[in-house]
Amino acid sequence: MLPPVLIVEDDQKLARIVRAYLEGADFRVTHASSVAETLCKLDEEAPLAVILDLGLPDGAGEELCQDIKALGDIPVIMLTAKSAEEERIAGFALGADDYVVKPASPRELVYRLKAVLKRYDGTATSSQPLSFNNGALILDSRRHEISKSGQALTITPTEFKLLFTLASAPHRTFTRDELVSKALGYHFEGYERSIDAHIKNLRQKIEDEPRRPEYLKTVYGVGYLFCGERDAL
Ligand code: CA
């Protein structure tokens, strides 16, 4: 089953209309009305794409857009009342993939969403899975799946991002701060320690002996690094 499209919109009526159109075009849909709710949904549901209203009750959609982009390659279509050219350019500078001005035609929105997803699909298919130690550990970024000795693991989107970040650069030490911005994408203070909790969970899942990790090594006083020999595919 494909992940859902996340509609971020505090205008409930508009959100319902957009949902109806997307569902009519066979997308699964999830909805958030605030920045806080969006951050939860991003972690829990790893959406296929985000349709983002810029005027939200608890924060700026512009900053949220940057957070979403820092989380990974998630297409973002900005939905906004701001139509001035400078505003559009600012939106693209924040990483938005497309921009639709309200009042938006839901048909146009569906069309633009499909166009953006098509562009992403082209880039995603070229990304090979990361395989280590003769296939003992495989990270498939297209499917967001990890398998250990051929067994698929149950893993949260955040854990996947974190492991993928580390495994993309084996033997390079990442500070907690770097991991927060690369894997979590949050600007908030105090998230550094949450990295430790995610690493602990990951070790339980991917290591033979979580207390004597083979892949996820602690670099004392600095952060973490991933050890593993990348297989030639
Ligand atoms: Ca709004």
Side-chain angles (χ1 to χ4, degrees):
M1 190 162 47
L2 269 180
V5 173
L6 173 59
I7 302 171
V8 181
E9 172 60 77
D10 59 324
D11 178 336
Q12 302 301 324
K13 191 174 159 217
L14 184 55
R16 270 201 304 278
I17 294 169
V18 173
R19 173 191 281 269
Y21 265 86
L22 290 179
E23 287 178 347
D26 288 332
F27 287 103
R28 289 207 306 130
V29 173
T30 185
H31 172 230
S33 307
S34 65
V35 172
E37 215 184 318
T38 303
L39 293 175
C40 288
K41 297 255 170 171
L42 286 168
D43 188 28
E44 287 165 6
E45 308 198 39
L48 185 67
V50 180
I51 292 173
L52 178 64
D53 173 36
L54 291 186
L56 295 167
D58 60 342
E62 285 88 347
E63 197 171 313
L64 184 56
C65 181
Q66 287 182 304
D67 286 344
I68 295 167
K69 284 296 173 180
L71 273 174
D73 252 357
I74 306 171
V76 175
I77 297 178
M78 279 189 176
L79 191 56
T80 177
K82 301 168 182 173
S83 67
E85 192 184 44
E86 295 89 86
E87 301 283 358
R88 288 180 193 238
I89 290 168
F92 287 123
L94 293 170
D97 295 277
D98 208 345
Y99 204 92
V100 176
V101 177
K102 287 184 193 175
S105 138
R107 277 179 60 199
E108 182 188 349
L109 195 58
V110 168
Y111 172 81
R112 286 179 182 259
L113 175 64
K114 284 182 175 171
V116 164
L117 287 172
K118 209 169 169 186
R119 290 210 299 273
Y120 269 76
D121 201 35
T123 54
T125 42
S126 63
S127 62
Q128 295 279 2
L130 297 178
S131 172
F132 296 94
N133 299 3
N134 299 318
L137 186 69
I138 297 174
L139 284 73
D140 186 335
S141 61
R142 279 190 69 202
R143 297 162 170 227
H144 269 232
E145 273 178 10
I146 291 177
S147 62
K148 186 192 172 196
S149 310
Q151 295 281 103
L153 302 176
T154 305
I155 191 150
T156 69
T158 301
E159 287 165 4
F160 184 89
K161 295 252 164 61
L162 186 57
L163 184 59
F164 189 80
T165 300
L166 286 157
S168 297
H171 306 286
R172 168 178 170 327
T173 301
F174 287 84
T175 64
R176 288 183 179 79
D177 206 36
E178 267 182 294
L179 291 172
V180 168
S181 63
K182 283 184 197 291
L184 303 182
Y186 305 154
H187 295 317
F188 308 129
E189 297 289 318
Y191 271 81
E192 287 78 7
R193 290 295 149 187
S194 74
I195 292 290
D196 298 348
H198 290 305
I199 292 279
K200 195 173 168 208
N201 292 338
L202 276 168
R203 281 179 176 152
Q204 294 294 338
K205 294 176 183 180
I206 68 168
E207 303 285 1
D208 288 336
E209 293 179 68
R211 286 171 172 281
R212 292 174 52 209
E214 176 191 356
Y215 294 111
L216 290 171
K217 308 250 191 198
T218 303
V219 182
Y220 290 97
V222 186
Y224 296 99
L225 68 78
F226 178 88
C227 287
E229 290 314 313
R230 178 102 192 252
D231 303 323
L233 286 177

